[in-house]
Amino acid sequence: MKIVIGNDHAAPELKLACVKHLEEQGYEVIDTGVGVGEKCDYPDAARRVCTLIQQGKADLGILICGTGIGMSMSANKFKGIRAACCSEVFSARLTREHNNANVLCFGARVVGEGTALDLVDIFVKTPYSGDERHEKRIAKITEIEKEEVK
Ligand code: RB5
């Protein structure tokens, strides 16, 4: 599984901790984020991550800003992206199982490193259930996307 990760200036250290954690477990990680001391507007970071997913160059994405909110708002504007802003593991698990989320967002000013690594773990390890009722609801999200994004 290939994971693409991005961050703005609020989260370079937490991003590096997530990259290390994933690589130690054998995941291939594409780091598109900024480093310590660099500035970046969160929509630009979201664009880089979502574009690679849309192109099929990564399976899942992780976006970290101060709150995770700007990243999730931006990411959800991209076709085919279902981004979830989570600060606890129950939501991170359910958004994979039920929503088939392909991007996890969280805030470096909201969660500590321990929670962040737990969020990342549960998100990348939980499969989508594929259940019929969830399929139907996700198809409705896609319908909205088609109607709205001309
Ligand atoms: C940047 O200071 C901050 O606004 C950003 O990281 C994020 O929290 C936005 O949602």
Side-chain angles (χ1 to χ4, degrees), residues 41-104:
D41 294 330
Y42 56 81
D44 298 328
R47 182 189 295 277
R48 284 195 283 273
V49 163
C50 295
T51 301
L52 287 180
I53 295 173
Q54 286 178 324
Q55 293 170 344
K57 293 178 181 161
D59 305 295
L60 293 176
I62 296 169
L63 283 166
I64 320 168
C65 61
T67 58
I69 296 171
M71 288 294 197
S72 57
M73 287 180 169
S74 305
N76 279 315
K77 298 293 179 194
F78 290 84
K79 270 192 170 180
I81 298 299
R82 290 175 302 281
C85 184
C86 300
S87 52
E88 34 70 36
V89 293
F90 179 76
S91 299
R93 180 166 66 80
L94 267 284
T95 201
R96 286 289 304 129
E97 284 180 1
H98 290 196
N99 315 124
N100 197 12
N102 49 13
V103 174
L104 169 71

Side-chain angles (χ1 to χ4, degrees), residues 72-140:
S72 57
M73 287 180 169
S74 305
N76 279 315
K77 298 293 179 194
F78 290 84
K79 270 192 170 180
I81 298 299
R82 290 175 302 281
C85 184
C86 300
S87 52
E88 34 70 36
V89 293
F90 179 76
S91 299
R93 180 166 66 80
L94 267 284
T95 201
R96 286 289 304 129
E97 284 180 1
H98 290 196
N99 315 124
N100 197 12
N102 49 13
V103 174
L104 169 71
C105 307
F106 53 85
R109 296 172 185 156
V110 179
V111 299
E113 187 176 311
T115 300
L117 301 184
D118 284 348
L119 288 170
V120 165
D121 277 344
I122 202 95
F123 188 77
V124 302
K125 287 172 189 163
T126 304
Y128 170 49
S129 77
D131 189 282
E132 199 183 318
R133 71 191 200 280
H134 300 312
E135 279 290 278
K136 189 184 89 185
R137 292 164 189 161
I138 293 169
K140 288 188 178 188

